[in-house]
Amino acid sequence: MTDAAVTTAPNVLVERVLGTLRRGEIALALAIVAILVVLILPMPPWLLDMSLALSVTFSVLILMVALFIERPLDFSAFPTVLLIATMLRLALNLASTRLILSHGHEGTKAAGHVIEAFGNFVMGGNFVIGVIVFIILVVVNFVVITKGSGRIAEVAARFSLDSMPGKQMAIDADLSAGLIDEATARKRRRDIEDESNFFGAMDGASKFVRGDAIAGLIITAINIVGGIVIGVVQRDLTLAQASHTYTVLTVGDGLVSQIPALIVSTAAGLLVTKGGNSGSADKALIGQLGAYPAALGLSSALMGVMAVLPGLPMLPFLGLAGVTGYAAYRIAQRREQQVAAEAEQAAAAAAPVAEEPISAALTIDQVRLELGYGLLGLINSDRGHRLTDQIKALRRQLATEMGFVMPSVRIQDNLQLPANTYVLRIKEIEAGRGDLRPNMLLVMDPRGENISIPGEPTVEPTFGLPALWASEAHREEATFRGYTVVEPQTVITTHLTEVMKENMAELLSYAETQKLLDELDKSQQKLVADLIPAQITVGGLQRVLQNLLAERISIRDLPTILEGVSEACGYTRNVTMITEHVRARLARQISDANTNEQGFIPLVTLSPAWEEAFAESIVGQGDDKQLALAPSRLQEFIGAVREVMDRHAMMGEMPVLLTSPAVRPYVRSIIERFRPATVILSQNEIHAKARIKTLGQI
């Protein structure tokens, strides 16, 4: 083997060891194992000195973190840290006990310089003083700090568990109201769980400190008694020498252990007493103790009185009186400045608002819902779904189904309306109204039969069907009988849905059309650039889309519509002809929308005679084409359509009227006036793979 290989092998081994120690979980595991090893193996005095210094440093670090954290949950690992710190102190206690009992006869340096220094410094040459100081530290730690913080942690854990359901309900309510999103709700729920787990763990962790204090007392007693016995019996020391040596070592050992324990107990007390205070401990204390200048002023006056009492030293009380008096003056002065600034801001906010320009009166609400004062409770009602939530869902539904973004609905009260009446307005014009009973349910029979439960007869406002207002107590009975049960909020939403579908064409403005084009994918922008304005203007495209929406055809597949417009513009500029070509391109979508539950399109065809009559009645050329059908023939056609469609409606069918492409727009212009829900299709709009069933002929 070469010298280079011999040199490289140890370096690689060292690098691997250091790399393993850099991993946090490995380092922590090795530290825990080291603590357990100390419980078994002896430790030299120099290593014990380093370990005791580490224990004190670790305790001070814990206290500083507890002081500077913003809230208790920021130090949620405290119970684990407390366990590790307690195990470290107990392991060092055992190591020092082994050194004291085995080498105590050699002098006070037997257990290291740290224990010797603590023993001599505190005892001052008198071991009785050292024992008393040690006992006082143990009492302060065990009886005062540990007992109090343990009780606070116990109560906090209990109240945290008891309040969890209420906090969860509050989060659910905020989420339902739209005040927070799902991510914030999950975070708040996790914080509640973490808080409950933390205080529960702190309740148990306080037992570590209590057990540590008891173990310290027992170890100290064993060290003193056992050391004196070993020194006198085995090491031939006098009773005075053994008592002095082993007492110094034992008290020093106890102080080195109890001081870190006292620091950690104080940190635990600070952590659990922080409670609902936010911010570091200094901000909470100074901010709250200094928030009342009158209290500081009275304290200053009391200190001044005590300074002049005979027998009391004047300087300390007089100095404290001056400090607290100056602090009270400065805080009061700062409070007055703050109040003056707030008053100026309030005055500025209360300044007269500039008069609203007259042009603001010209603004028109696209969609407005006016409610009588008796229906205002439906907006934020706890019963059922809230009206505002249902309107939000409606806007999303229309965007998905029709490709049309419904304008925002303005909801306002109208004292001129009857208490239980609502009005729907489209561009300030009334488009529908109805009467509701806010605390009742609307019950309808889908079979059209009489409703046999008690209630107030009425007419359903959207479709004009017979219905009944029933109380909430009859909900279960109505559902059992197969009736349709609707809440008042849903009645308004259903009515609004139908009104929106009837007026979608009118609500699709030039700006909305431009917005639809702008929001297309980048891959479609080249098509838009080639089409507009070279082949058709935005206004022309708006009219095509309005024609589609007027017959409730979804414009969500806007790229296909633009392709159809581009093709049609090659031979015509007539908006009606362009619309008919686009409808043919949307044949798959239109056929699917009119397919019934049985999987076919029910058709009623236009007879050849009527096809010929319509074709011969079209006069004019190009954009000037119009229908010139004799009034008598027009009435005859209307009667025939009503007869056939009503007959199939009685049979439960909603057939589609099928015509030729040339006459479809003109047939539609007639039928939409007396049967607007009837769908009129041409042969070009029936997809090749669609299943059809002819039910009759007009």
Side-chain angles (χ1 to χ4, degrees):
M1 183 180 296
T2 64
D3 293 340
V6 173
T7 306
T8 305
N11 294 337
V12 173
L13 181 60
V14 170
E15 290 179 359
R16 288 181 179 177
V17 172
L18 292 177
T20 302
L21 291 176
R22 289 192 191 103
R23 295 177 56 186
E25 67 273 14
I26 301 297
L28 178 61
L30 291 177
I32 299 298
V33 170
I35 293 174
L36 297 177
V37 167
V38 172
L39 295 172
I40 303 171
L41 300 179
M43 180 182 289
W46 64 268
L47 184 57
L48 180 61
D49 286 344
M50 293 182 60
S51 301
L52 291 174
L54 174 64
S55 175
V56 175
T57 305
F58 189 34
S59 303
V60 173
L61 175 62
I62 295 171
L63 177 62
M64 293 300 105
V65 173
L67 281 171
F68 288 110
I69 59 171
E70 295 289 324
R71 58 196 184 107
L73 284 181
D74 293 341
F75 199 4
S76 58
F78 184 82
T80 304
V81 172
L82 183 60
L83 173 61
I84 295 174
T86 304
M87 284 297 299
L88 177 61
R89 286 195 306 274
L90 291 176
L92 295 179
N93 252 342
L94 186 58
S96 61
T97 298
R98 186 182 289 112
L99 287 175
I100 290 171
L101 296 180
S102 59
H103 300 283
H105 63 283
E106 298 175 2
T108 55
K109 296 182 180 180
H113 296 287
V114 173
I115 292 178
E116 181 187 22
F118 269 84
N120 290 327
F121 177 75
V122 173
M123 292 175 62
N126 190 335
F127 69 89
V128 177
I129 296 176
V131 173
I132 294 174
V133 171
F134 172 75
I135 293 175
I136 291 174
L137 284 176
V138 172
V139 170
V140 170
N141 185 17
F142 180 64
V143 177
V144 181
I145 299 177
T146 304
K147 189 176 182 64
S149 59
R151 179 58 179 167
I152 293 174
E154 179 184 355
V155 174
R158 184 183 307 166
F159 278 97
S160 177
L161 287 173
D162 292 343
S163 63
M164 277 189 68
K167 292 179 180 179
Q168 294 280 8
M169 293 175 64
I171 294 172
D172 294 339
D174 289 346
L175 181 62
S176 301
L179 301 177
I180 57 175
D181 56 12
E182 186 64 33
T184 305
R186 283 197 298 269
K187 182 179 182 302
R188 287 174 58 178
R189 291 193 187 101
R190 187 165 57 250
D191 289 343
I192 291 174
E193 293 175 2
D194 292 344
E195 180 182 357
S196 176
N197 294 334
F198 172 74
F199 284 112
M202 285 298 297
D203 182 23
S206 62
K207 305 301 187 294
F208 295 153
V209 183
R210 180 177 181 178
D212 184 23
I214 296 174
L217 285 173
I218 296 174
I219 292 173
T220 301
I222 291 174
N223 284 351
I224 293 176
V225 176
I228 292 174
V229 171
I230 291 174
V232 173
V233 176
Q234 296 183 356
R235 303 299 181 180
D236 298 328
L237 297 177
T238 64
L239 181 61
Q241 291 175 335
S243 299
H244 176 268
T245 302
Y246 286 101
T247 303
V248 169
L249 290 173
T250 302
V251 171
D253 177 35
L255 290 174
V256 173
S257 300
Q258 285 304 313
I259 289 176
L262 183 63
I263 294 174
V264 173
S265 300
T266 305
L270 286 171
L271 206 59
V272 296
T273 54
K274 194 174 182 64
N277 296 325
S278 60
S280 57
D282 64 312
K283 295 179 181 178
L285 291 174
I286 297 174
Q288 295 177 20
L289 288 177
Y292 304 97
L296 289 174
L298 290 175
S299 300
S300 175
L302 180 60
M303 293 298 103
V305 171
M306 295 184 69
V308 298
L309 289 177
L312 290 179
M314 178 180 293
L315 186 60
F317 290 101
L318 197 59
L320 290 174
V323 171
T324 52
Y326 177 75
Y329 169 74
R330 290 293 298 168
I331 293 174
Q333 190 178 36
R334 190 178 303 171
R335 185 71 57 83
E336 291 177 359
Q337 294 174 355
Q338 184 178 0
V339 171
E342 292 177 354
E344 291 179 2
Q345 293 178 358
V353 181
E355 184 178 353
E356 188 178 19
I358 298 177
S359 59
L362 301 177
T363 305
I364 295 178
D365 294 328
Q366 296 293 307
V367 184
R368 187 166 74 206
L369 170 61
E370 297 179 356
L371 302 173
Y373 68 88
L375 302 180
L376 297 178
L378 297 179
I379 298 176
N380 294 312
S381 175
D382 294 332
R383 294 178 64 251
H385 299 287
R386 295 192 307 172
L387 180 60
T388 52
D389 293 339
Q390 291 193 358
I391 292 177
K392 290 178 184 177
L394 169 61
R395 296 186 67 202
R396 184 176 296 276
Q397 176 187 349
L398 283 178
T400 303
E401 292 182 359
M402 305 301 296
F404 169 74
V405 180
M406 169 183 168
S408 298
V409 180
R410 182 182 179 186
I411 304 176
Q412 68 177 31
D413 60 327
N414 187 347
L415 298 179
Q416 297 179 354
L417 292 176
N420 294 331
T421 300
Y422 69 90
V423 174
L424 296 171
R425 296 186 183 274
I426 303 294
K427 295 186 176 180
E428 306 285 343
I429 306 301
E430 182 177 329
R433 71 165 54 208
D435 291 319
L436 302 178
R437 301 295 179 267
N439 296 319
M440 303 181 75
L441 301 172
L442 187 69
V443 180
M444 295 173 288
D445 189 345
R447 300 177 295 273
E449 301 176 357
N450 292 330
I451 302 173
S452 59
I453 63 175
E456 176 186 346
T458 185
V459 175
E460 194 273 332
T462 306
F463 303 104
L465 302 175
L468 185 81
W469 287 110
S471 66
E472 180 72 28
H474 294 96
R475 178 194 287 268
E476 188 174 345
E477 181 182 357
T479 305
F480 178 76
R481 293 176 180 269
Y483 298 148
T484 302
V485 180
V486 182
E487 295 170 345
Q489 299 95 315
T490 308
V491 174
I492 296 179
T493 308
T494 304
H495 201 171
L496 179 61
T497 303
E498 291 303 312
V499 169
M500 289 299 304
K501 289 184 177 180
E502 291 174 1
N503 296 274
M504 277 189 294
E506 187 176 353
L507 291 172
L508 182 66
S509 62
Y510 183 98
E512 288 293 334
T513 305
Q514 184 63 58
K515 186 177 179 181
L516 289 175
L517 294 175
D518 294 340
E519 291 178 351
L520 278 174
D521 293 339
K522 291 183 179 180
S523 59
Q524 306 295 335
Q525 292 301 324
K526 183 65 171 62
L527 173 61
V528 175
D530 292 343
L531 182 63
I532 298 172
Q535 295 177 279
I536 192 172
T537 63
V538 175
L541 179 62
Q542 175 193 357
R543 291 181 57 193
V544 172
L545 297 178
Q546 285 178 330
N547 289 342
L548 295 173
L549 289 174
E551 298 191 46
R552 301 193 179 187
I553 295 177
S554 173
I555 61 173
R556 188 178 179 186
D557 190 7
L558 192 56
T560 301
I561 295 174
L562 295 178
E563 292 171 4
V565 170
S566 179
E567 294 170 356
C569 287
Y571 62 86
T572 183
R573 289 293 187 270
N574 188 310
V575 174
T576 301
M577 299 295 294
I578 294 174
T579 304
E580 292 302 308
H581 183 82
V582 170
R583 288 174 62 95
R585 285 293 304 268
L586 297 174
R588 181 190 296 274
Q589 171 187 315
I590 294 174
S591 298
D592 180 72
N594 291 282
T595 301
N596 61 16
E597 296 178 356
Q598 287 73 35
F600 60 82
I601 304 174
L603 298 177
V604 170
T605 61
L606 198 62
S607 66
W610 279 114
E611 288 276 0
E612 183 179 356
F614 274 101
E616 292 175 351
S617 300
I618 299 174
V619 297
Q621 297 294 327
D623 293 345
D624 296 330
K625 286 184 179 182
Q626 56 184 352
L627 185 66
L629 195 64
S632 58
R633 293 285 287 167
L634 190 59
Q635 285 299 120
E636 183 182 351
F637 176 72
I638 292 174
V641 171
R642 277 180 172 164
E643 179 185 354
V644 174
M645 292 299 180
D646 289 346
R647 183 172 68 250
H648 287 292
M650 294 293 292
M651 299 167 59
E653 293 282 357
M654 293 292 290
V656 172
L657 179 57
L658 187 67
T659 70
S660 62
V663 303
R664 196 208 73 83
Y666 307 101
V667 174
R668 169 65 185 171
S669 65
I670 296 173
I671 294 179
E672 70 177 345
R673 299 183 180 277
F674 65 95
R675 287 186 69 90
T678 301
V679 179
I680 316 297
L681 301 182
S682 69
Q683 288 94 338
N684 292 345
E685 297 163 21
I686 303 297
H687 193 262
K689 294 185 178 181
R691 296 173 57 201
I692 61 175
K693 180 179 181 180
T694 303
L695 303 181
Q697 189 180 65
I698 296 176

